[in-house]
Amino acid sequence: MRWRRMGALDVGEPRVSFQQQQQQVGKKGQQGGHGHGHGAVVEEIHGLIKVYRDGYVERLPAIPDAPCTWGTTALPGIVVARDVVVDRATGVWARLYAPAAAGRVPVVLYFHGGGFCVGSAAWSCYHEFLAKMAERAGCAVMSVDYRLAPENRLPAAFDDGVTAVRWLRQQAICSAATDELSWWRGRCRFDRVFLMGDSAGAAIAFHIAARLGHGQLGALTPLDVKGAILIQPFFGGETRTASEKTMTQPPGSALTLSTSDTYWRMALPAGATRDHPWCNPVTGRGAPRLDTLPPPDFLVCISEKDILHDRNLELCRALRKAGKSVEQATYGGVGHAFQVLHNYHLSQPRTQEMLAHIKAFVSAR
């Protein structure tokens, strides 16, 4: 296989047209459209998504995709990346990252944010953040592009997360094989795996851990999940927290209370309230037992100006009460998704702090 060097990022072959695969499996509207003839708009998050009366979904090009032929000179080192199909039946795919230097490193299974309704592993903001994380934290990354709501309401994203775990286990089983993924497997320590995500992706990582705890995935050997890293985990509830009620958001904020409610209406099963355990895993009826979660250690990253600030603190307290080791990092002066959107003047230094915390957490395990 030939590798093409672009700036400071080494990349593999151009990715296949996963958009075409997604359309073939009924992921209609994922790539947007004008919406004419579909009736009135019944749900909308300005600049991101519109849902029409007939069910048609229009996603707006808020953030450009970064194909695997894209590079950036912002990286101080060299990272290798390539896209792979995880499940052709559902259209799920992933972007793999690894430091180009020889040697095996821990593996991070990552899920992007977007309220379960928007976002992609190909978004340039995630591509840049995860390439930096792979280099600076010294880890391999599997960034999963899962099915989105409202076409695929929860638990579709959780199911896709489980599929990703099983795909990762299969790579561990055949780690000695010689094929097109040998370059990535050869850099992976499958006995040091971390579940990770931001916002809705952090919720996916959490609920995958819950399924692992309930034995729904069966044996994971030779995978060994050492911990979970939850960045601004996106949870909710019918009872508002203080930060949800009083945290004023600036123009262009990634998450307001109204957008949060809209995401949950589109993502949860029809008719469910925000006290559904997929939204409220701490006090919601039928919430998972936190003491059964297999990762012994958690890193929870909280933003001071995020409406989810208090709910994230509530999760930390509940995890500690369940006997889990919880490292809690709060980033001052920034709000939701600052590390990928760079929408606060302190975003850059706070992102460096976050990467340092992630590196320390992973390195210690």
Side-chain angles (χ1 to χ4, degrees), residues 55-71:
Y56 182 84
V57 177
E58 179 181 3
R59 288 183 174 82
L60 307 176
I63 295 176
D65 281 358
C68 257
T69 52
W70 176 84

Side-chain angles (χ1 to χ4, degrees), residues 21-35:
Q21 295 180 14
Q22 291 163 351
Q23 290 168 355
Q24 292 170 1
V25 298
K27 202 172 181 181
K28 67 176 182 178
Q30 295 272 352
Q31 304 307 311
H34 53 68

